[in-house]
């Protein structure tokens, strides 16, 4: 079976695929998500999403065969709280994921109630609008420790060889209090740092990216690193693979620069 690349995607804002003006603003992101799918010779057996919108004390693993919806956004039109993305879950892979994490000494547990949050269902609605690929999520850990999240990725790397596409879903810039023109300089400078760091040779990349708080404007771009942490899981699962930037945008939300990356080919 094909070994899938891993990804860190910037997933846009709220339920953007269902809001025409927002969808137009994210047209480059939409194109990149569709190109991801087009590049896969065969569909994945399942998609494992690590969203910046779910965190627990230990790694929680979505185990429902029919995951519900989590509308974790505010101030959007009423109809966006009725969205359905009826992809099946992947309970057997959830069990396998639990075993892999446990064997690696990483605290984890199954969650049979958790549903898809918008970090999952918004990009997937563009990638697979038919919702015909099994999907499951794992949570971040509240510690936000980059090394631990890299270790989570390493523990799950073998899933790639079983046809699972591992996608970290966040944003390369996430400061909800700083949008517009004021965001241009910090997001652009941090984006340059991120690209230079991730495209290093794999053997020198890990210590550089783990030390992300030393990057210029790091704490302005990520006051809380929930939307950056999915990157470390995706990178840990493809630690020996080279990185390719597959999406880049400037001027989002009036000034934000954002990017997405693929690890492996």
């Amino acid at each position: 079976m094909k070994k899938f690349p891993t990804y860190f995607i910037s997933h846009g804002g709220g339920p953007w695929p269902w809001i025409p003006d927002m969808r137009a603003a994210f047209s480059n992101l939409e194109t990149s998500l569709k190109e991801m799918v087009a590049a896969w010779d065969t569909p994945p057996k399942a998609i494992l999403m690590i969203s910046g919108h779910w965190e627990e004390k230990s790694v929680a693993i979505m185990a429902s065969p029919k995951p519900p919806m989590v509308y974790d956004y505010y101030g959007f039109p009423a109809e966006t709280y009725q969205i359905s993305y009826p992809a099946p879950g992947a309970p057997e892979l959830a069990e396998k994921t639990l075993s892999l994490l446990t064997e690696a000494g990483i605290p984890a547990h199954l969650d049979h109630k958790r549903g898809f949050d918008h970090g999952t269902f918004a990009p997937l609605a563009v990638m697979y609008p038919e919702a015909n690929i099994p999907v499951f999520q794992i949570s971040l850990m509240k510690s936000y420790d980059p090394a631990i999240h890299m270790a989570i990725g390493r523990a799950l790397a073998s899933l790639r060889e079983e046809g699972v596409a591992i996608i970290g879903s966040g944003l390369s810039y996430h400061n909800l209090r700083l949008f517009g023109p004021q965001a241009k300089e910090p997001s652009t400078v941090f984006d340059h740092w991120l690209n230079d760091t991730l495209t290093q040779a794999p053997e020198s990349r890990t210590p550089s990216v783990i030390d992300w708080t030393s990057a210029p404007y790091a704490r302005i771009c990520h006051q809380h690193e929930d939307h950056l942490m999915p990157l470390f899981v995706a990178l840990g699962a493809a630690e020996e693979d080279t990185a390719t930037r597959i999406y880049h945008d400037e001027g989002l939300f009036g000034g934000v620069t954002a990017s997405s990356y693929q690890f492996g080919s």
Side-chain angles (χ1 to χ4, degrees):
M1 184 170 288
K2 176 181 177 179
K3 181 179 180 180
F4 276 82
T6 72
Y7 299 86
F8 172 63
I9 62 170
S10 291
H11 64 226
W16 63 270
W18 291 270
I19 300 175
D21 289 349
M22 290 188 73
R23 189 160 187 163
F26 286 114
S27 61
N28 291 339
L29 175 59
E30 178 167 358
T31 296
S32 73
L33 293 171
K34 290 179 177 178
E35 288 176 347
M36 280 173 58
V37 173
W40 296 341
D41 295 333
T42 57
K45 176 182 178 180
I47 294 173
L48 169 56
M49 297 288 277
I50 305 94
S51 167
H53 291 276
W54 187 20
E55 56 190 51
E56 302 285 350
K57 289 183 178 180
S58 63
V59 180
I61 305 161
M62 180 185 291
S64 171
K66 295 182 179 180
M69 303 292 289
V70 177
Y71 304 111
D72 53 342
Y73 40 74
Y74 306 93
F76 288 95
E79 61 270 20
T80 63
Y81 298 88
Q82 304 298 320
I83 290 167
S84 176
Y85 189 75
E92 291 184 3
L93 282 169
E95 294 276 3
K96 177 66 178 291
T97 298
L98 177 62
S99 295
L100 291 171
L101 291 172
T102 301
E103 289 169 8
I106 297 169
H109 62 279
L110 298 178
D111 187 322
H112 296 275
K113 296 182 179 180
R114 175 73 184 192
F116 299 137
D117 61 60
H118 79 268
T120 292
F121 69 75
L124 286 180
V126 172
M127 296 169 65
Y128 285 103
E130 305 88 356
N132 57 350
I133 302 295
V135 179
F136 70 116
Q137 293 184 227
I138 63 170
S139 74
L140 301 172
M141 292 184 71
K142 287 184 177 180
S143 66
Y144 291 156
D145 185 322
I148 290 176
H149 287 84
M150 288 280 292
I152 292 169
R154 292 186 195 109
L156 302 182
S158 64
L159 293 176
R160 297 173 59 195
E161 299 174 2
E162 298 185 26
V164 176
I166 299 174
I167 302 175
S169 177
L171 279 168
S172 60
Y173 174 91
H174 193 251
N175 184 338
L176 298 178
R177 297 182 178 181
L178 192 68
F179 284 149
Q182 305 96 312
K184 181 176 181 180
E185 181 175 345
S187 67
T188 300
V189 173
F190 184 79
D191 189 83
H192 283 316
W193 173 87
L194 187 64
N195 186 64
D196 289 346
T197 300
L198 293 181
T199 55
Q200 290 182 54
E203 58 270 18
S204 59
R205 177 178 59 200
T206 295
S208 298
V209 74
I210 283 179
D211 190 31
W212 74 272
T213 55
S214 297
Y217 294 107
R219 280 301 182 188
I220 293 177
C221 295
H222 295 280
Q223 289 183 312
H224 304 285
E225 53 264 48
D226 50 354
H227 277 58
L228 188 65
M229 280 301 110
L231 163 66
F232 295 100
V233 182
L235 187 57
E239 196 167 11
E240 304 304 318
D241 292 326
T242 57
T244 305
R245 186 159 63 183
I246 58 172
Y247 160 71
H248 182 72
D249 232 332
E250 299 179 5
L252 294 171
F253 305 111
V256 171
T257 296
S259 295
S260 299
Y261 290 88
Q262 173 180 314
F263 304 100
S265 59

